[in-house]
Amino acid sequence: MTTESGTSQAPRPVGVAVLGHGTVGAEVVRIIRDDATDLEARIGAPLELRGVAVRTVSEDRGIPVELLTTDAESLIARDDVDIVVEVIGGIDLPRKLVRAALDAGKSVVTANKALLAEYTGELAEAAEAKHVDLYFEAAVAGAIPVIRPLTQSLAGDRVNRVIGIVNGTTNYILSAMDETGADYAEALAEAGRLGYAEADPTADVEGFDAASKAAILASIAFHTRVTAGDVYREGISKISAADLTSARALNCNVKLLAICERITTDDGKDKVSARVYPALVPREHPLASVSGAFNAVVVEAEASGRLMFYGQGAGGAPTASAVMGDLVMAARNRVQGGRGPRESKYADLEIAPMSEIVTRYYVNLQVADRAGVLSAVAAEFAKRGVSISAVRQEGAGNGARLVVLTHRATDEALSSTVAALDELESVTAVTSVLRLEGSAE
Ligand code: NDP
Ligand code: HSE
């Protein structure tokens, strides 16, 4: 930096506090320390690590012990801390800490989707009040740049749909079931052994994690505040090996999808739909071939057409890559002046209930194997105006099953048809119901 008298003055360092030194935090701290020279050149000032908040201070974390503290609040409040990186996880504590940082005029970078899916509004307002940045690229799909493309690169386009595989654990499980014929319990156990599934896998397998990410994506894509509670959610724990077999027969894969969509109702009103459920995806769709723990997000916008983002959605280093991108941006803003984009919620669209969503169903029924069963089943679809696209019998006698694929209809009509089928004397059980997404019909 050059002063008015023409003398050179070293730029003021940017002070960083990292809250958390676990899977993600340890990688963030490593990059800040190992890549200091490059980071300084990119930012225009040194990035200096002021401290790292943890639960347990110990000498064997590979960083100087004097950097560690259990007092996150005091670390945040230090005058020489400009940016706070929150990688603790959970909701209540990080909400308090992130608020404290923003209220004190510090920019915040967080990877915390659970926090953002509930409190983006509150936190964005706090950031706005102090003219600081709140960045969260890592909160959705780990290393994959998707928040910044939606917020900035597509800011002049009209996004109609964002559909993604945003949970690596469930994608690993479903891929393993497809590739090895394993049942759900076996695939989940293997995901646990490989470190993908946590000891309590509920947040992943029941779709809560993906629903948080869907809320974040929908908010940004449609300029509307969407919270986790607005997202319709089903998990994968009821998916069976038989569903994967049927999917293969239909030339489909089963994927847990996060779908964020602009829908226009008959009276011309735009609404936002955000939903998470396992669905059949035709094998020719780009998401069908995303296997293992990888993530991918497809964005459909009016001028750009279809864009696809693919890569590692979790893990220490990949997630730290996204955190570091945000940290460099926030640090540059500190050095050069200015701010990143603020929250955009001007459209304030209504949230569409699941019943209004138009989709296709795959229904697997255990039936009596006798004359008239097929027509009784078909009659229930016809009564509700649901058109059948294909029907196939699998097995015979006591093992007879009917697999029905519908054309597009409202979820209300489809779900009431399924409820009626369940009451039919000739239907022993509705074995499974899945939606079909991404088909041309
Ligand atoms: P970890 O559980 O591995 O690490 C959490 C860290 O927070 C630990 O270092 C822990 O300290 C510290 N911590 C917990 N409570 C406190 C407290 N009261 N005060 C100070 N420090 C505390 O979590 P991850 O690194 O896996 O995840 C961090 C965030 O990143 C979460 O929001 C997660 O959703 C998100 N994320 C994670 C991804 C991943 O692949 N892991 C991917 C994308 C996002 P100690 O070490 O002493 O226990
Ligand atoms: N549990 C998440 C997953 C981690 O499996 O994708 C990334 O948010």
Side-chain angles (χ1 to χ4, degrees), residues 113 166-169 204 209 213 313-314:
K113 60 257 171 176
V166 292
N167 183 271
T169 306
D204 289 323
D209 176 79
K213 293 166 179 169

Side-chain angles (χ1 to χ4, degrees), residues 23-341:
T23 307
V24 181
E27 283 299 313
V28 169
V29 167
R30 181 190 63 73
I31 297 171
I32 292 174
R33 299 180 77 226
D34 289 358
D35 296 350
T37 309
D38 282 338
L39 292 170
E40 176 175 348
R42 291 171 203 167
I43 291 165
L47 194 62
E48 292 185 356
L49 184 62
R50 304 292 183 218
V52 181
V54 288
R55 269 178 305 203
T56 318
V57 171
S58 89
E59 303 228 332
D60 46 0
R61 287 185 187 264
I63 56 175
V65 75
E66 56 275 14
L67 280 174
L68 297 169
T69 176
T70 55
D71 185 355
E73 290 184 46
S74 299
L75 175 61
I76 291 167
R78 275 173 57 163
D79 287 341
D80 60 354
V81 166
D82 302 293
I83 304 174
V84 172
V85 175
E86 186 276 309
V87 277
I88 290 179
I91 295 184
D92 293 339
L93 176 67
R95 179 186 176 194
K96 193 170 115 193
L97 298 175
V98 168
R99 267 308 295 264
L102 295 170
D103 291 345
K106 327 244 159 163
S107 292
V108 169
V109 174
T110 177
N112 192 331
K113 60 257 171 176
L115 172 68
L116 292 160
E118 296 293 342
Y119 296 110
T120 295
E122 172 191 314
L123 300 176
E125 279 166 20
E128 189 59 38
K130 293 288 178 181
H131 304 288
V132 293
D133 288 322
L134 172 66
Y135 283 134
F136 45 87
E137 181 66 69
V140 180
I144 306 172
V146 63
I147 301 294
R148 192 159 287 115
L150 279 171
T151 323
Q152 298 190 24
S153 318
L154 293 167
D157 206 337
R158 181 180 165 92
V159 175
N160 288 322
R161 203 160 194 248
V162 181
I163 173 167
I165 294 170
V166 292
N167 183 271
T169 306
T170 46
N171 203 51
Y172 174 84
I173 292 170
L174 293 171
S175 302
M177 290 173 75
D178 180 46
E179 286 156 20
T180 68
D183 67 18
Y184 170 76
E186 287 167 338
L188 172 61
E190 181 65 3
R193 273 194 293 277
L194 292 171
Y196 296 127
E198 294 183 24
D200 176 2
T202 310
D204 289 323
V205 300
E206 297 304 346
F208 292 100
D209 176 79
S212 293
K213 293 166 179 169
I216 296 169
L217 290 171
S219 300
I220 295 170
F222 304 117
H223 307 274
T224 293
R225 275 189 190 164
V226 180
T227 63
D230 295 322
V231 181
Y232 176 86
R233 177 193 53 78
E234 290 174 24
I236 66 160
S237 56
K238 294 195 182 78
I239 301 291
S240 67
D243 290 327
L244 272 297
T245 306
S246 299
R248 266 195 300 280
L250 294 164
N251 205 26
C252 288
N253 255 339
V254 179
K255 296 290 177 192
L256 182 73
L257 298 180
I259 303 170
C260 310
E261 207 170 28
R262 180 198 302 274
I263 63 161
T264 307
T265 52
D266 291 342
D267 56 1
K269 194 170 175 186
D270 275 358
K271 294 187 182 178
V272 170
S273 163
R275 47 197 207 266
V276 167
Y277 44 68
L280 297 181
V281 180
R283 286 198 190 259
E284 64 272 15
H285 190 279
L287 290 177
S289 54
V290 174
S291 64
F294 279 83
N295 282 194
V297 179
V298 171
V299 178
E300 292 167 13
E302 257 163 44
S304 71
R306 184 188 268 178
L307 305 166
M308 182 162 172
F309 303 83
Y310 169 85
Q312 297 189 69
T319 309
S321 163
V323 170
M324 289 305 301
D326 283 351
L327 182 52
V328 168
M329 295 304 290
R332 275 186 192 150
N333 291 342
R334 290 263 155 182
V335 172
Q336 296 169 5
R339 289 177 61 198

